[in-house]
């Protein structure tokens, strides 16, 4: 027998008997849409592809599908979470002025409702690039290095739940390079909007070019790496883990609800892990005298000494309040985008 465990929304596993020249379809409730390919080699011996190849990982259709679904999810995520992100940034950068969530919301609202979405345009652009990179790299890693446990003949064997965390860390380092310029512009814009200067994202970018030149968009590079590495490790790792747990222990849960709940909790776990690194990152990137490398760790030590360990979690409340709906919308948009792509844009 030769088994082909191909991706399928219907969770169908195709089995072909070469000797009888016929085929049958069986359902696999646990492996679902994952698994390596079993085949016969030229010597008629059964072999298995326990690892993928870069050719498998970078097929044009798969890459296009990843980018399309990530972009769609980014739009949902950005406009769902931007108001919470604005509150978080103000609490982190000006804790004396914005001492609590309610006070920050009240002062921001006094500037007009659109103030909550200040910086949304560069955020949406950066988020589309970030998620296209993040989901693209993460999915490519999964195709290049598939989980061997998912190809086991025992359907009860669980997947390797550590692997997504490791792949998430690699993904974070890659996405930091793409996200950095938009993050720097966004941080400066969100802080200035509360000073009465009324500078737009475009004005901020021009000032950055005038003061520091092209290097200004790369300021705080190590800060971005320190934040995104832990974040994506828990972001993708916990999403895969929660999807698996919901599927096993709550089998009646609809797929859409499973994606939504898993994505929301994954976002909360990711930000809880990354928050101590995010506070000094925001402070560094919102200033105008930041170096490309070398400003992050002094700022981290300074905040630890002045505010204590809890100071590194300043703004965690609005961050978690934003994380659930924003990332639930993100993952739901990504998964729905994949379905739409498969059914209407580029059928296999």
């Amino acid at each position: 027998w030769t088994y082909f465990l191909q991706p399928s929304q219907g969770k169908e596993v195709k089995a072909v008997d070469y000797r009888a020249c016929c085929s049958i379809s069986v359902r696999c409730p646990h492996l679902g849409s994952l698994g390596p390919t079993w085949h016969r080699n030229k010597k008629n011996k059964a072999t298995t592809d326990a690892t993928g190849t870069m050719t498998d990982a970078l097929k044009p259709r798969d890459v296009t599908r990843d980018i399309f679904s990530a972009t769609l999810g980014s739009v949902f995520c950005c406009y769902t979470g931007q108001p919470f992100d604005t509150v978080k940034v103000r609490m982190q950068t000006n804790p004396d002025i914005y001492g609590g969530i309610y006070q920050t919301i009240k002062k921001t609202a006094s500037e007009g409702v659109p103030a909550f979405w200040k910086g949304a345009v560069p955020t949406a652009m950066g988020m589309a690039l970030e998620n296209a990179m993040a989901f693209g790299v993460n999915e490519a890693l999964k195709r290049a290095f598939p989980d061997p446990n998912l190809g086991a003949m025992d359907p009860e064997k669980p997947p390797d739940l550590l692997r997504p965390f490791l792949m998430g860390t690699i993904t974070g380092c890659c996405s930091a390079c793409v996200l950095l310029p938009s993050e720097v512009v966004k941080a400066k814009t969100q802080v200035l909007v509360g000073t009465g200067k009324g500078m737009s994202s475009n004005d901020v970018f021009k000032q950055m070019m005038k003061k520091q030149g092209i290097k200004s968009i790369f300021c705080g590079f190590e800060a971005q790496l320190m934040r995104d590495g832990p974040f994506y490790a828990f972001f993708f790792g916990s999403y895969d883990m929660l999807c698996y747990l919901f599927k096993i222990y709550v089998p009646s849960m609809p797929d859409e609800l499973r994606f939504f709940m898993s994505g929301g909790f994954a976002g909360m776990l990711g930000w809880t892990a990354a928050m101590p690194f995010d506070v000094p990152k925001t402070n560094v990137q919102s200033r105008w005298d930041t170096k490309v490398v070398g400003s992050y760790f002094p700022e981290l030590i300074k905040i630890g000494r002045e505010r204590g360990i809890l100071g590194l979690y300043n703004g965690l409340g609005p961050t978690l309040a934003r994380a659930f709906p924003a990332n639930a919308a993100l993952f739901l948009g990504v998964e729905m985008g994949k379905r739409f792509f498969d059914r209407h844009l580029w059928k296999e």
Side-chain angles (χ1 to χ4, degrees):
W1 289 87
T2 299
Y3 296 92
F4 291 89
L5 307 187
Q6 301 288 3
S8 170
Q9 292 296 335
K11 303 173 186 176
E12 293 282 336
V13 179
K14 193 72 173 177
V16 181
D17 184 354
Y18 282 97
R19 294 170 296 180
C21 294
C22 63
S23 65
I24 61 172
S25 293
V26 295
R27 295 190 65 81
C28 181
H30 298 284
L31 298 183
S33 61
L34 300 174
T37 301
W38 289 72
H39 61 87
R40 289 183 181 274
N41 59 19
K42 293 182 179 180
K43 295 183 180 180
N44 205 36
K45 294 181 180 179
T47 60
T48 181
D49 293 334
T51 60
T53 64
M54 290 308 297
T55 302
D56 296 331
L58 300 177
K59 290 181 179 179
R61 182 189 180 278
D62 293 334
V63 173
T64 305
R65 180 175 182 260
D66 296 337
I67 294 174
F68 173 81
S69 59
T71 302
L72 183 63
S74 298
V75 175
F76 297 155
C77 178
C78 176
Y79 286 93
T80 301
Q82 184 68 14
F84 299 96
D85 195 50
T86 299
V87 172
K88 180 204 72 170
V89 169
R90 292 191 174 194
M91 289 181 64
Q92 288 178 343
T93 54
N94 296 299
D96 295 332
I97 300 176
Y98 303 103
I101 297 176
Y102 176 75
Q103 183 182 9
T104 304
I105 294 175
K106 185 177 179 181
K107 287 187 176 181
T108 305
S110 66
E111 302 166 20
V113 174
F116 287 101
W117 278 272
K118 276 288 186 179
V121 174
T123 299
M125 295 173 60
M127 192 173 289
L129 291 173
E130 174 198 10
N131 287 323
M133 168 67 77
F135 282 88
V137 170
N138 194 256
E139 292 295 329
L141 287 171
K142 289 181 180 179
R143 291 191 292 268
F145 306 100
D147 187 350
N149 288 354
L150 293 174
M153 298 305 295
D154 181 6
E156 299 294 336
K157 191 173 184 179
D160 182 358
L161 297 179
L162 178 62
R163 182 178 294 254
F165 286 88
L166 297 176
M167 291 182 177
T169 303
I170 299 173
T171 300
C173 294
C174 295
S175 68
C177 300
V178 176
L179 182 65
L180 182 59
S182 66
E183 281 286 289
V184 174
V185 175
K186 181 187 75 171
K188 287 179 169 60
T189 303
Q190 288 177 326
V191 172
L192 285 174
V193 75
T195 63
K197 295 184 178 180
M199 295 179 68
S200 65
S201 301
N202 190 42
D203 295 330
V204 169
F205 180 75
K206 290 179 180 179
Q207 286 293 322
M208 288 168 54
M209 292 294 104
K210 183 178 179 181
K211 292 185 176 183
Q212 291 183 298
I214 192 66
K215 73 175 185 179
S216 64
I217 63 175
F218 298 104
C219 290
F221 177 66
E222 83 276 33
Q224 198 72 38
L225 289 175
M226 289 296 297
R227 197 280 304 272
D228 286 355
F231 174 78
Y232 279 107
F234 281 85
F235 186 67
F236 285 114
S238 60
Y239 176 75
D240 286 353
M241 180 182 68
L242 289 168
C243 279
Y244 171 76
L245 294 176
F246 279 131
K247 188 174 183 179
I248 294 299
Y249 296 105
V250 193
S252 60
M253 178 180 288
D255 287 344
E256 293 78 6
L257 181 59
R258 177 159 54 90
F259 300 147
F260 186 87
M261 297 297 293
S262 298
F265 286 122
M268 295 179 72
L269 290 172
W271 276 111
T272 300
M275 197 66 189
F277 308 103
D278 185 58
V279 174
K281 180 197 83 72
T282 301
N283 287 1
V284 164
Q285 292 179 343
S286 64
R287 296 202 306 257
W288 297 85
D289 59 347
T290 300
K291 302 175 183 178
V292 175
V293 177
S295 299
Y296 176 75
F297 289 103
E299 183 69 18
L300 177 65
I301 296 172
K302 177 184 175 183
I303 293 176
R305 287 177 177 175
E306 292 180 354
R307 308 181 196 174
I309 299 299
L310 293 179
L312 296 174
Y313 286 91
N314 196 22
L316 181 63
T319 299
L320 295 182
R322 169 196 180 276
F324 187 91
N327 290 287
L330 170 63
F331 275 104
L332 180 61
V334 168
E335 298 292 351
M336 294 300 99
K338 290 178 180 178
R339 289 188 180 182
F340 182 85
F341 185 90
D342 291 339
R343 294 174 182 175
H344 304 289
L345 298 183
W346 194 337
K347 297 181 180 181
E348 283 190 297

